[in-house]
Each structure stands twice: as C-alpha cells, then as structure tokens.
Amino acid sequence: MRRSTVRRTALAASAMSLALLVSACGSEKSEGKKDEPKGKASASAPAAGKAASAEELGKLILAEGDVPGHKVTEATAADLATAKGVTSDKAECKPLVDAMSLRSGGAPAALVIRKVIAMPKSPAPDAAPEDKMKAGLSALGGTITSDTLGSYGDAKAAGDVIAALKKSGADCAGGFNLVAGSDKTKFTKVAPADFAAGGDEAVSFTLNLDAEGTTGTTHLIAVRKGSTVATFYALSLAGQAEQPKAVVEGQVKKLG
C-alpha cells in the first residue's frame, strides 16, 4: 500500500476517533455509578414532569448483555475531559456537536454515558491465517456507538432538545468543522436519515466527513421518552459506520 494511502487512512481514523472520543478496546471504568447487577428490579423511564437522577439513569442505560453481539462499557474520565473541549466553527451547529461529543443539549439534571461496540464473530480455532487476519481487520472496523441519557424537568424541556437538533441539522446541512484544540474534523454534509427510532419523538441524521480526501459516514440519532433524551452517535474506524439499529432498539426498549 502506498505511504500516502496509509497516511490518509490513519488521518480518517484519527478524525473519526476525535468525533466520538472513545476507544474501541477500552474497558476502564469511570468514577461514576456502576451498572446495577443483573437480577435487580427493572426500571422504567420516569413520568413526564420528573427528572431522573444519575442513579436512576444508571439503571435505565444499556448494560453489558443487553445488546447481543455488542460490548458495553462506561465512558472513561479521559473521554469526558476531552469531550468538554470539543466545539464547532459554526454556532448554529452546537446542538449537533454536543450530541456527537458525549453531551446532551440544554441543561440536563443528570447525565450518564456508555460506549457500545459491535463485536465481530471470532474465527474458528483452526481457521486459515488469512481468515484470522480478516477477522482482526473486521474488529477494527466495527461500529462504535456512544449512548448518552440525559434527564430533564419535564417533557417540554426534553422536547426542546429534539427540536434544537432538528433545527441544527437543517442549518448545518452544508457541513461544519468539529474543533478540538488545534485539530479539526471536516463534516461535508448533514442529511435527515430514514430511521424508525421509536420513543415519543425522535430525530436522526447521516453525517459525511472528509479527512484529506478520505471520506467517512457517521450516524446521529436522538430519542425522547417522557422527560428523558437518549442520544446515539455511531462511527467506524474503517470509515463507513452502520446505523446502530440494535443499540437504539435496545435502549428505547429499556426506557419502557
């Protein structure tokens, strides 16, 4: 492979990693609340008019085993610290960037975050070396999704978050730059996506990015259930992320 091709591919992977701020193989726990052990009484989304606490959200958000074929981990302290500094070069794109950077719009009363990683099937022990290599490359290219739950004082405040995302998607349809310090990720297009997300109301977008000629596709979805908003941002280090259908369905089902 030509050196320039390798460099462009590495830049694209770096850009997409910046956008989500996660590590596909990271499993370090943050200092927040740990997932409740399996077997405890199931929780459901709080009724409209009541903001869920961080502890309540911790019971509602996806946990390991909730989505077959996926690994679920908490966001690390490093993820959260880096995400705080991510901005956009266009003020009207801030709601999109917030949703892409482990944040929820508006002023949530509580916030919990998980990373959900699509895991490939392991090759058979007696598989040929080339098949094992393909499996390894497939693992690197799996879709990584951030799952962020934010709670609000009432359904209207939560609905305002969805409305702001819809407006931001329309205002930034022609693209924007995601900025983290001296690094920039260029998004060339934001388009509404055909995605049946469920919940009380939802919005979804497909975003195209360009890193020195290497293109990629990411997906942003937000779902309101009562006074809680679930936000999902999916990317792949290989460039083309899949819509995180199983992740969204699993989370919406858990919200009740």
Side-chain angles (χ1 to χ4, degrees):
M1 185 180 291
R2 292 172 56 190
R3 182 178 298 179
S4 60
T5 302
V6 173
R7 181 171 180 271
R8 285 199 303 271
T9 302
L11 284 169
S14 176
M16 285 180 279
S17 296
L18 168 66
L20 184 55
L21 306 168
V22 298
S23 168
C25 58
S27 60
E28 176 187 352
K29 293 289 185 179
S30 67
E31 295 181 359
K33 294 283 185 178
K34 295 183 181 295
D35 289 327
E36 289 293 320
K38 298 257 182 208
K40 286 202 172 185
S42 61
S44 60
K50 180 181 181 297
S53 66
E55 183 177 3
E56 289 172 320
L57 289 180
K59 297 175 182 178
L60 291 169
I61 201 164
L62 289 175
E64 183 69 13
D66 285 340
V67 186
H70 292 71
K71 180 176 179 60
V72 180
T73 67
E74 291 187 27
T76 67
D79 293 333
L80 301 177
T82 306
K84 289 178 66 175
V86 178
T87 61
S88 171
D89 61 340
K90 297 180 179 179
E92 61 270 28
C93 303
K94 184 179 184 299
L96 288 176
V97 172
D98 283 345
M100 296 162 66
S101 305
L102 312 182
R103 300 192 292 265
S104 192
L111 191 70
V112 294
I113 304 157
R114 297 293 182 268
K115 302 184 292 188
V116 188
I117 305 159
M119 304 300 290
K121 291 183 178 180
S122 299
D126 59 348
E130 57 268 27
D131 292 332
K132 292 182 179 180
M133 182 179 293
K134 287 180 181 178
L137 292 173
S138 176
L140 291 174
T143 296
I144 309 166
T145 305
S146 62
D147 177 11
T148 303
L149 287 189
S151 64
Y152 298 82
D154 53 37
K156 180 184 182 304
D160 288 344
V161 174
I162 301 296
L165 277 172
K166 290 179 179 178
K167 185 177 187 304
S168 186
D171 291 344
C172 302
F176 62 95
N177 286 324
L178 184 149
V179 183
S182 60
D183 296 319
K184 291 185 179 180
T185 302
K186 181 181 180 180
F187 286 85
T188 58
K189 182 180 180 181
V190 180
D194 182 13
F195 190 95
D200 296 324
E201 60 178 325
V203 61
S204 57
F205 299 104
T206 297
L207 301 91
N208 297 337
L209 62 82
D210 187 317
E212 291 199 359
T214 299
T215 60
T217 300
T218 67
H219 303 279
L220 175 62
I221 300 148
V223 183
R224 179 183 70 81
K225 182 68 177 180
S227 57
T228 300
V229 175
T231 306
F232 310 88
Y233 183 56
L235 63 81
S236 168
L237 298 184
Q240 307 299 320
E242 297 181 357
Q243 284 186 330
K245 189 172 186 291
V247 177
V248 176
E249 288 180 347
Q251 181 60 81
V252 172
K253 179 179 180 181
K254 201 164 182 179
L255 288 175

